Amino acid sequence: MKDTQLLKGVLDGCVLHIIANQRIYGYELVQKLREYGFSTIVGGTVYPLLQKLEKLGLIEGKIETSTDGPDRKYLYITPEGQAYLQTFDDQWAAMVLKVSKVINDGNNQNN
């Protein structure tokens, strides 16, 4: 299975977590995802996702001046985004528990 198939379902939550934890702009977000090990992530994946999250009201962008060059659009999580993130975290924890049970049960039967 390709990483991209697994990542598709969880990228929203990962991106929202990063935005919730720090003031960040798009290119910086791509770099942060790579730091976390998502080495195949590119702007062409992240920017449409950011547009979708903004359209859904989960994040908002604010143009701010930058000391390093032109103004940048910094991203912030909204209260709706915080609520979405809580639901994501709950669903992710439940999924990890279920998959772990399946894996552990299979490993126990092979011994």
Side-chain angles (χ1 to χ4, degrees):
M1 178 183 296
K2 292 184 177 184
D3 283 351
T4 53
Q5 291 173 317
L6 289 171
L7 184 58
K8 187 176 182 183
V10 298
L11 189 57
D12 292 15
C14 292
V15 165
L16 284 172
H17 266 289
I18 293 169
I19 294 171
N21 290 328
Q22 68 184 93
R23 174 179 172 261
I24 198 164
Y25 59 93
Y27 177 76
E28 188 179 24
L29 176 63
V30 172
Q31 298 308 310
K32 191 65 146 174
L33 285 164
R34 288 182 179 163
E35 286 175 25
Y36 281 117
F38 298 104
S39 57
T40 59
I41 290 289
V42 294
T45 301
V46 174
Y47 289 110
L49 173 62
L50 292 174
Q51 289 176 333
K52 179 186 94 171
L53 295 175
E54 195 166 12
K55 197 178 240 186
L56 292 171
L58 304 179
I59 63 171
E60 63 181 353
K62 295 179 184 173
I63 303 294
E64 298 179 17
T65 57
S66 171
T67 57
D68 299 331
D71 294 350
R72 293 187 172 133
K73 184 177 181 178
Y74 285 91
L75 306 165
Y76 298 91
I77 195 163
T78 64
E80 293 82 4
Q82 290 284 3
Y84 178 94
L85 202 50
Q86 183 59 55
T87 301
F88 169 84
D89 289 351
D90 293 344
Q91 291 175 340
W92 176 251
M95 181 62 68
V96 167
L97 183 62
K98 292 172 193 172
V99 171
S100 294
K101 284 180 182 178
V102 170
I103 291 170
N104 291 332
D105 188 48
N107 287 338
N108 290 336
Q109 289 182 7
N110 291 329
N111 292 330

